[in-house]
Amino acid sequence: QRTKINTSFSSWSKILCGMPQGSVLGSKFFDVFINDLFYLFLCTSVCNVADDAIPYACNIDLPTPLHNLEGIFSNIWFKANYMKLNQIKCHFLIAGSTEQLWTKVGEQVIWESSQEKLLGVHIDKELKFNHHVLDICKKARSKVTALARLARLVPFEKKRILMNSFIESQFSYCPLVWMFCSRELNRKINHIQE
């Protein structure tokens, strides 16, 4: 590659790794590139969406999954493929633990989080999803208020479309979390839906 500024060009430089962002084949090449990454997850499982790979492990004995996860992050695959973990974006959460734990990613120590956002769902240590439900209620309430201001100006069918698109869709994403709601949160949800 080389750089052009006005009419001047830099000298050519070989690219040994990487892909220009926004290229048509970039996503396909990335999939091929990381295809063998999943062989690392022998003692753990992985949830992968686009360029996010989220390893997870389950075990009654707490040191075992921590050891397995640390093993993934210290693996030679990353260095051999010119990949560097973004340690700032690495987080971990242990459900049901009362003490705060830590793990290592490379040389950096990462402390356990009390909650994390994964694919739009706030997951907390106690698996109660209170923060997630409150966040959805807040978004839906603000949209109901906006729709109420338009009520006199918009025909009934258009209001129904807006209601389905912008408000009910909030409650239909990841419906499993509603099972864990307290009565107080259920009342809030019902009030917004009414």
Side-chain angles (χ1 to χ4, degrees), residues 80-154:
N81 288 289
Y82 302 100
M83 296 287 282
K84 183 180 176 187
L85 284 170
N86 188 345
Q87 296 172 334
I88 295 168
K89 291 185 175 182
C90 291
H91 306 278
F92 86 103
L93 183 117
I94 297 177
S97 172
T98 55
E99 57 186 286
Q100 189 176 26
L101 301 166
W102 58 272
T103 189
K104 287 184 90 173
V105 174
E107 295 300 315
Q108 185 171 343
V109 172
I110 297 177
W111 289 92
E112 177 190 15
S113 302
S114 59
Q115 72 172 9
E116 288 296 329
K117 189 173 183 180
L118 178 62
L119 299 175
V121 178
H122 296 275
I123 303 171
D124 59 279
K125 285 177 68 158
E126 298 170 358
L127 299 177
K128 290 188 177 178
F129 301 97
N130 290 343
H131 186 270
H132 178 72
V133 173
L134 287 171
D135 189 47
I136 287 176
C137 288
K138 181 180 175 184
K139 288 177 185 175
R141 187 180 300 114
S142 68
K143 292 176 181 181
V144 166
T145 305
L147 184 59
R149 280 188 248 130
L150 295 172
R152 294 184 197 137
L153 306 171
V154 180

Side-chain angles (χ1 to χ4, degrees), residues 37-49:
L37 170 69
F38 302 103
Y39 291 116
L40 290 179
F41 302 104
L42 299 175
C43 300
T44 61
S45 299
V46 66
C47 182
N48 180 262
V49 177

Side-chain angles (χ1 to χ4, degrees), residues 55-95:
Y56 63 93
C58 301
N59 200 310
I60 293 173
D61 180 35
L62 190 56
T64 302
L66 284 175
H67 176 73
N68 293 342
L69 290 171
E70 282 180 4
I72 291 169
F73 297 127
S74 64
N75 197 290
I76 195 80
W77 184 91
F78 295 102
K79 289 179 185 171
N81 288 289
Y82 302 100
M83 296 287 282
K84 183 180 176 187
L85 284 170
N86 188 345
Q87 296 172 334
I88 295 168
K89 291 185 175 182
C90 291
H91 306 278
F92 86 103
L93 183 117
I94 297 177

